[in-house]
């Protein structure tokens, strides 16, 4: 799926926010901050990543898979991708 600037920008904003949170964890460790503070930040990072993952998966299904439905061979390939992604997520 080709993303235009309108759909790409919010995703990049989320990724940059997550990157900032990860850098924040490094600073917190360097500053010897309380474990609970560090763990809360890590939990927030996990949540942010799950949200990003959810958004991308929804985009994949709504655009890539739906577009592939026009061609049975491409559709099968896209469905295999979803199954593989889901299995990897559960592992």
């Amino acid at each position: 799926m080709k993303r235009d600037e309108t759909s790409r920008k919010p995703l990049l904003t989320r990724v940059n926010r997550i990157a900032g949170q990860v850098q924040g964890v490094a600073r917190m460790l360097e500053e010897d901050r309380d474990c609970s503070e560090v763990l809360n930040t890590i939990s927030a990072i996990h949540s942010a990543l799950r949200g990003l993952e959810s958004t991308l998966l929804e985009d994949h299904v709504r655009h890539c898979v739906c577009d592939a439905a026009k061609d049975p061979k491409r559709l099968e390939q896209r469905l295999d991708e979803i199954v593989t992604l889901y299995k990897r997520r559960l592992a």
Side-chain angles (χ1 to χ4, degrees), residues 23-34 37-38:
Q23 291 171 349
V25 168
R27 282 190 304 275
M28 293 170 85
L29 293 171
E30 288 172 356
E31 295 168 0
D32 200 28
R33 301 274 286 276
D34 187 62
E37 289 181 67
V38 177

Side-chain angles (χ1 to χ4, degrees), residues 5-52:
E5 184 64 24
T6 305
S7 60
R8 188 176 36 247
K9 187 174 180 178
L11 295 172
L12 291 172
T13 298
R14 290 174 87 163
V15 168
N16 289 331
R17 187 177 310 122
I18 292 166
Q21 289 176 307
V22 171
Q23 291 171 349
V25 168
R27 282 190 304 275
M28 293 170 85
L29 293 171
E30 288 172 356
E31 295 168 0
D32 200 28
R33 301 274 286 276
D34 187 62
C35 293
S36 63
E37 289 181 67
V38 177
L39 290 168
N40 282 331
T41 302
I42 290 171
S43 179
I45 294 167
H46 280 283
S47 179
L49 284 169
R50 283 190 302 273
L52 178 61

